[in-house]
Amino acid sequence: MSADTTPAVPRHLAVIMDGNGRWAQRRKRPRAIGHRAGARAVNVCIDFCLEKGIGALTLFAFSSENWGRPQDEVGALMKLFLNALDREVDELHRRGVRIRFIGQRERFSESLRARMAHAEQLTAGNRRLQLVIAASYGGRQDIADAARSLATDVANGKLQPEAIDEHALAARMSLADLPAPDLFIRTGGDHRISNFLLWQLAYTELWFTELLWPDLDVDALQKAIDDYAGRERRFGLTSAQVNPGAVENSPA
Ligand code: IPE
Ligand code: IPE
Ligand code: MG
């Protein structure tokens, strides 16, 4: 395994935190209670990354499509985001966490946007863990925004169409300054990407669990990174190419 392509511990973990609603429904409680319980699991996940030395964590908190949920659920989620920012940001800052947000933040209320900006400014110099919250985020939107940004430069004569390649597009996408996620985790039992980081997950290792997000614990996270550590990432090459030292067991 080559050290720069497959580090033993993921450099960047991307997580779809799914299953809050079902967690509440199983307890015959309103879905909002599940979201509140889910906020606790966020701390479990952040603590785990800090402990393991995982350098970047991207959490899918709210998708572009989630705006279509019933108004009272969207309202409850917005209140929860606001409270979570008020409650957690100072402590995260103290622990060396840099916080930022990706997604269409203009869709959030003024007060929420102000808190997001404050969290980003306060923690901008931190290096221990890069925490990215994807909120009102859609992977397709991300790609479309990058394409529009390139097209604008072409229209203004700043860029030749021939100069547009995958690196040029990647440079305009969210998370351009971070390594692509090494590991993706989705809780809640569904095996899909749900418009999360479509571009950035091209060669990410995927791991799914039936656990509902509020039930997430250290054991589950450890299982995920143990499983990851045992995988061979080939990036389109052969096993012998990426792992030349391994004993070949091929027929004569
Ligand atoms: C994930 O949990 C949180 C958000 C999408 C905001 P869900 O609310 O999707 O929970 P389920 O999937 O309905 O159980
Ligand atoms: C994905 O979960 C979005 C977040 C966790 C924020 P969803 O619950 O919205 O995804 P689907 O509807 O099951 O695909
Ligand atoms: Mg869901």
Side-chain angles (χ1 to χ4, degrees), residues 43-61:
N43 287 326
V44 170
C45 194
I46 292 172
D47 291 349
F48 183 82
C49 289
L50 284 168
E51 176 158 332
K52 297 289 168 189
I54 294 170
L57 171 65
T58 299
L59 296 173
F60 204 6

Side-chain angles (χ1 to χ4, degrees), residues 17-23 31 35 61-62 66 69 73 77:
M17 315 186 284
D18 196 27
N20 294 349
R22 279 164 286 168
W23 186 92
R31 293 175 58 86
H35 295 311
F62 193 79
N66 290 149
R69 291 191 178 192
E73 180 169 345
L77 278 164

Side-chain angles (χ1 to χ4, degrees), residues 16-24 26-27 184-192 206-217 219-221 223-224:
I16 295 189
M17 315 186 284
D18 196 27
N20 294 349
R22 279 164 286 168
W23 186 92
R26 281 181 198 171
R27 288 164 177 75
F184 159 101
I185 294 177
R186 181 175 185 142
T187 59
D190 286 309
H191 295 187
R192 55 180 174 252
L206 308 179
W207 194 83
F208 300 91
T209 172
E210 295 294 319
L211 272 186
L212 303 175
W213 177 254
D215 293 327
L216 181 88
D217 57 15
D219 281 358
L221 290 168
K223 241 186 236 160

Side-chain angles (χ1 to χ4, degrees), residues 28-43:
K28 311 228 176 309
R29 307 293 304 279
R31 293 175 58 86
I33 299 292
H35 295 311
R36 200 189 301 164
R40 279 197 303 272
V42 171
N43 287 326

